[in-house]
Amino acid sequence: MPAYETILTEIQGRVGLIRLNRPRALNALNSVMVSEIMAALEAFDADDSIGAIVLTGNERAFAAGADIKEMSQASAVEMLTNGYIDTFDRIRSIKKPVIAAVSGWCLGGGNELAMSCDMVVASESARFGQPEVNLGVIPGAGGTQRLTRAVGKVLAMEIVLNDRRLTAQEALQFGLVNRVVPVERYLEEALELAQQIAARAPLAVRFGKEAVNHAFETSLSDGLADERRAFYFCFASEDQKEGMQAFLEKRAPVWKGQ
Ligand code: CAA
């Protein structure tokens, strides 16, 4: 792993952990940090010893949004050409499951980053919002689209148009997070979830992630057809033979990812 300036990375078992590390700026996402997050995600994705990835901040902030200092003087053309927003799109190409472990502020680009992950474990102190309207802009990294798909139109309108902030419990109620746990446990809980998934059949996890994501992109009939092709393809894997044989022999399967 290369040395990063704005994030810390480590490997725990089969899980790659990325910590956003600009605590004095509440992990505001400057362009270096966004590039480094994507580089670390891509490095873990390419590493066969890693089965899942956890992305976290610290107790006070997952991330308080894009770095306002950095973008305050930008022109429209600079925003278009500097690649900052485009970098967020690369998270969609990560094949392994990515779990956000969120505590404290999760605002603007921070919430967009969390919503780009596959699952979210929140601490009781997590606060979610899209406060861009206060800055004279709208969310630019998926905030209007992923949020609306998760929480529905009327609540998304209130969040985007009037800076409504959600508590962790509200985020759970509206389907933005998987679970809410005490602050002392949120990272541990996310790591445990990641270790469990990382211990499962790698190809089935990969195809399952792809298929669920596809549900947001396509018609039901196209989604079902794609799901079926992936399901049939599983039968070309050694893991399918092993998984079903192990069930019949009443033993634990040994996955090869082949
Ligand atoms: N960008 C740059 N710096 C930020 C920041 C941000 N998004 N959020 C916080 N900081 C900095 C503050 O400037 C402050 O730095 P200094 O000590 O050097 O002054 C430090 O972090 C601590 O922040 P506060 O003193 O404001 O802490 P607080 O506890 O009083 O308030 C907060 C916390 C409510 C999160 C407040 O900091 C805040 O409102 N931040 C901005 C949130 C925001 O508007 N996010 C959207 C950004 S735009 C975006 O994300 C666009 C997109 O779609 C990609």
Side-chain angles (χ1 to χ4, degrees):
M1 278 272 163
Y4 296 110
E5 206 182 296
T6 61
I7 60 170
L8 302 168
T9 59
E10 64 187 272
I11 294 176
Q12 293 192 15
R14 282 185 42 79
V15 173
L17 174 61
I18 302 170
R19 294 176 196 262
L20 313 191
N21 191 33
R22 297 185 71 216
R24 273 177 291 177
L26 302 185
N27 288 332
L29 296 155
N30 63 15
S31 43
V32 174
M33 191 188 242
V34 171
S35 301
E36 290 188 346
I37 292 167
M38 295 308 152
L41 285 170
E42 283 164 359
F44 283 142
D45 207 29
D47 181 341
D48 284 344
S49 71
I50 300 292
I53 303 166
V54 172
L55 184 60
T56 196
N58 56 51
E59 273 186 30
R60 189 173 170 212
F62 177 70
D67 190 316
I68 300 167
K69 283 181 200 140
E70 189 182 70
M71 66 170 49
S72 61
Q73 299 305 317
S75 69
V77 173
E78 279 160 6
M79 287 307 295
L80 173 76
T81 55
N82 66 15
Y84 175 84
I85 293 286
D86 297 338
T87 313
F88 278 80
D89 284 343
R90 280 170 39 203
I91 197 167
R92 291 169 64 207
S93 66
I94 301 299
K95 296 177 184 64
K96 290 172 187 162
V98 184
I99 299 171
V102 174
S103 184
W105 297 112
C106 185
L107 299 177
N111 195 35
E112 290 168 311
L113 183 61
M115 289 190 296
S116 300
C117 296
D118 302 308
M119 283 162 266
V120 181
V121 173
S123 89
E124 283 164 346
S125 75
R127 294 292 177 272
F128 300 84
Q130 297 292 157
E132 288 88 345
V133 70
N134 300 331
L135 304 168
V137 295
I138 68 167
T144 64
Q145 302 304 298
R146 291 196 178 91
L147 182 71
T148 308
R149 282 165 168 77
V151 307
K153 174 177 157 177
V154 293
L155 182 56
M157 287 290 187
E158 202 179 342
I159 293 168
V160 173
L161 308 189
N162 201 31
D163 188 19
R164 160 103 183 254
R165 309 252 168 117
L166 299 184
T167 63
Q169 281 303 332
E170 287 173 322
L172 181 64
Q173 181 188 341
F174 296 120
L176 210 52
V177 308
N178 293 70
R179 54 185 86 163
V180 177
V181 296
V183 179
E184 319 78 68
R185 273 203 43 81
Y186 77 98
L187 182 54
E188 204 183 324
E189 185 87 7
L191 286 166
E192 265 175 40
L193 178 60
Q195 296 289 4
Q196 285 169 11
I197 295 169
R200 298 188 184 280
L203 290 172
V205 168
R206 174 175 171 167
F207 290 141
K209 169 172 169 161
E210 258 175 43
V212 172
N213 275 333
H214 207 185
F216 292 95
E217 308 272 350
T218 192
S219 68
L220 180 61
S221 51
D222 283 351
L224 289 171
D226 254 23
E227 176 194 83
R228 208 148 302 165
R229 275 191 287 272
F231 175 71
Y232 296 149
F233 190 85
C234 290
F235 285 76
S237 72
E238 289 179 32
D239 284 353
Q240 175 268 330
K241 305 283 175 281
E242 167 64 9
M244 295 193 180
Q245 199 55 38
F247 175 83
L248 296 174
E249 291 170 8
K250 301 189 188 303
R251 61 171 174 83
V254 180
W255 306 122
K256 288 189 189 154
Q258 298 289 322

